[in-house]
Amino acid sequence: MFHTTLDHHRWVFEDLKSLLAKATPARSGDRLAGIAAGSAEERVAALYCLSELPLKTFLNETVIPYELDEVTRLIQDSHDATAFVAISHLTVGEFRDFLLSDAARPAMLERLAPAITPEMAAAVSKLMRNQDLITVARRCRVVTRFRNTIGLPGTMAVRLQPNHPTDDRRGVAASVIDGLSYGCGDAVIGINPASDSVPTMDELARLFDGIIHQLDLPTQACVLAHVTTSIELIERGAPVDLVFQSIAGTETANRGFGIDLGLIAEGRAAALSLDRGTIGNNVMYFETGQGSALSAGAHHGVDQQTLEARAYGVARAYDPLLVNSVVGFIGPEYLYDGKEIVRAGLEDHFCGKLLGLPMGVDVCYTNHVEADQNDMDTLLTLLGVAGVNFVIGVPGADDVMLNYQSTSFHDQLYLRSVLGLRRAPEFEAWMQRMGMTDRHGALIDGHAPLDNAFGRLLA
């Protein structure tokens, strides 16, 4: 039990998960779960109490019992006690002050990452304003490699997302052509297939492999199928670069996805066996989103932002190339409006980076949420300042297969222009060799070197 007294009123919080939930900035998902603070006064009291909590508390008390949940066991068993010594004397509030101090430089934050549990990251984020989340995330450098290098300072990559409502080969290829012409695709060419047919996914994997080899393109591809399907594709000889899986922060929610930690490890081992990376072996691509555990009835009374951080605890066990928070995708039941989406996007990016993950964010919303493209422009800009590793590029910002609004091929050009962000260096060198960009990375109007290759792809 935790308690604090403010203005002669004693506030009591039953346990750690209750304290974390009451301290969370307001959002619809926690209200739906019945765990949000009942008033602004209760939220402030929870924040006071949380700020005085020693970080060691998170090693002695879990939000979901160790015996009941393999994600809790993964978090507790993989904690780096040696690295934790440097911050073991701090409270959550003191940890926030340290992260915002000049002492918290990139190299130190990298060393501390394995000492920080997801619950610690979630707790300190609740004490932070948006500018604090941006300041610290910008200092966290997480670099990964497969056929190019993602996450270097001053760069931002883009996942080229050529989704098509019928997985039509020509339609998918046309979207890839369109995206590459705008300089998108250095994070990954990654499609959400409409079909769950293994032959169709095999065909898509071979289409992307053909594009990459025909153009000598220094990037990687991914068909975002279930991990069991990716394993089957590998067994039948398909050219699989990255293995994808949606993950959540509880064992029960992951079971709803049809996975457990052992299955993820099996998928990673299958991808590593192909040895397709040319400069690195980060072979996993994970997606997450606040509210996934609640929507599966698997939240255990824990707030959705803490559970999102626990999903990152799952991801970092498998050394991924990319982790993507689809922050506004799940809908207004979990993040009601633009304000809640912006806050959640910054929290997700901060927590993931603090835990040592290569975080990207799908800056997105569904058409029944109280948000619009201006809200997305705000979040995209803030994430660019915060040093996001990658964002999403969809033709026209309108995903015609998943039916939601994301960021367009043009949006990344805006962000590169206002913040001076470059592409992954290998990808940018390729674009210059192809005559598509100048030495500053700016697109050259009327470039035509890809026309013939694209014509062959569409034939």
Side-chain angles (χ1 to χ4, degrees):
M1 182 177 295
F2 304 91
H3 60 84
T4 191
T5 300
L6 293 179
D7 196 22
H8 307 295
H9 184 99
R10 179 178 168 86
W11 297 90
V12 178
F13 306 97
E14 181 180 358
D15 52 25
L16 183 58
K17 66 181 179 183
S18 175
L19 177 62
L20 288 167
K22 304 298 185 189
T24 304
R27 63 201 57 190
S28 54
D30 293 337
R31 290 192 292 271
L32 177 65
I35 59 175
S39 65
E41 290 79 4
E42 186 179 24
R43 180 170 297 110
V44 170
L47 287 168
Y48 267 100
C49 193
L50 184 62
S51 72
E52 296 170 349
L53 198 68
L55 287 179
K56 289 178 180 176
T57 305
F58 296 93
L59 302 179
N60 300 322
E61 181 172 345
T62 61
V63 294
I64 303 174
Y66 183 95
E67 299 76 13
L68 299 181
D69 189 276
E70 68 172 359
V71 175
T72 299
R73 293 194 289 275
L74 172 68
I75 292 168
Q76 295 289 319
D77 294 348
S78 62
H79 181 251
D80 188 332
T82 302
F84 184 66
V85 170
I87 56 174
S88 61
H89 59 290
L90 300 178
T91 64
V92 176
E94 291 168 341
F95 185 41
R96 170 191 175 275
D97 293 344
F98 162 74
L99 291 173
L100 290 169
S101 73
D102 291 339
R105 306 313 304 168
M108 174 173 282
L109 292 173
E110 184 176 357
R111 289 195 299 273
L112 282 178
I116 302 168
T117 69
E119 291 85 352
M120 293 178 194
V124 74
S125 77
K126 298 177 194 299
L127 303 184
M128 290 183 158
R129 298 167 59 189
N130 287 356
Q131 67 172 247
D132 300 339
L133 298 173
I134 292 169
T135 297
V136 179
R138 186 176 177 83
R139 295 175 180 171
C140 298
R141 295 174 184 168
V142 184
V143 178
T144 54
R145 296 177 176 86
F146 189 78
R147 292 197 186 98
N148 57 25
T149 309
I150 299 170
L152 292 172
T155 68
M156 181 194 71
V158 177
R159 170 190 163 188
L160 200 172
Q161 184 169 300
N163 294 350
H164 190 280
T166 63
D167 294 329
D168 178 78
R169 182 179 178 279
R170 288 167 58 88
V172 171
S175 291
V176 173
I177 292 166
D178 193 20
L180 289 176
S181 72
Y182 286 98
C184 299
D186 46 350
V188 64
I189 300 173
I191 188 171
N192 300 89
S195 167
D196 59 0
S197 159
V198 172
T200 297
M201 295 188 211
D202 191 330
E203 183 181 13
L204 291 170
R206 294 182 191 280
L207 171 66
F208 294 150
D209 188 57
I211 293 172
I212 288 171
H213 283 88
Q214 282 190 44
L215 300 179
D216 193 22
L217 190 60
T219 192
Q220 39 282 329
C222 184
V223 178
L224 279 69
H226 192 270
V227 62
T228 53
T229 303
S230 295
I231 293 172
E232 184 174 350
L233 288 171
I234 291 170
E235 289 174 345
R236 62 189 281 164
V240 174
D241 289 341
L242 307 181
V243 167
F244 166 82
Q245 184 55 52
S246 293
I247 55 174
T250 73
E251 177 180 337
T252 314
N254 282 331
R255 199 180 303 139
F257 286 137
I259 61 168
D260 58 26
L261 301 183
L263 186 58
I264 300 173
E266 185 180 344
R268 179 172 182 264
L272 286 171
S273 72
L274 298 181
D275 194 25
R276 291 176 58 82
T278 54
I279 63 170
N281 60 1
N282 300 111
V283 296
M284 299 301 292
Y285 175 16
F286 294 115
E287 286 195 346
T288 67
Q290 289 196 26
S292 59
L294 176 59
S295 68
H299 61 94
H300 297 271
V302 182
D303 71 90
Q304 64 184 32
Q305 191 250 337
T306 298
L307 291 180
E308 175 72 4
R310 282 169 56 95
Y312 304 150
V314 173
R316 72 173 171 180
Y318 302 97
D319 203 14
L321 181 76
L322 308 163
V323 178
N324 180 31
S325 164
V326 289
V327 65
F329 182 77
I330 302 182
E333 299 86 352
Y334 308 96
L335 296 170
Y336 179 72
D337 57 15
K339 182 177 181 179
E340 291 187 9
I341 293 173
V342 168
R343 173 69 192 186
L346 294 176
E347 289 169 350
D348 294 352
H349 180 251
F350 163 84
C351 289
K353 282 286 186 66
L354 192 63
L355 293 172
L357 288 174
M359 287 302 298
V361 178
D362 189 350
V363 178
C364 64
Y365 64 105
T366 55
N367 287 322
H368 59 310
V369 74
E370 292 292 328
D372 60 25
Q373 200 58 46
N374 284 329
D375 296 308
M376 300 303 105
D377 287 350
T378 299
L379 179 55
L380 179 66
T381 305
L382 294 174
L383 287 168
V385 175
V388 68
N389 277 34
F390 70 99
V391 295
I392 305 298
V394 177
D398 184 13
D399 191 307
V400 296
M401 196 284 282
L402 292 172
N403 292 315
Y404 78 112
Q405 307 301 309
S406 183
T407 42
S408 72
F409 299 151
H410 295 79
D411 289 330
Q412 55 91 27
L413 292 178
Y414 145 73
L415 207 56
R416 295 191 193 288
S417 173
V418 298
L419 296 178
L421 298 172
R422 308 295 289 259
R423 300 174 181 85
E426 299 85 353
F427 193 90
E428 187 153 301
W430 172 81
M431 293 191 72
Q432 288 185 40
R433 288 199 304 273
M434 299 295 286
M436 299 169 66
T437 56
D438 62 21
R439 63 188 180 88
H440 303 293
L443 292 178
I444 296 174
D445 289 340
H447 61 77
L450 295 180
D451 288 354
N452 291 335
F454 289 165
R456 290 195 299 274
L457 292 172
L458 292 175

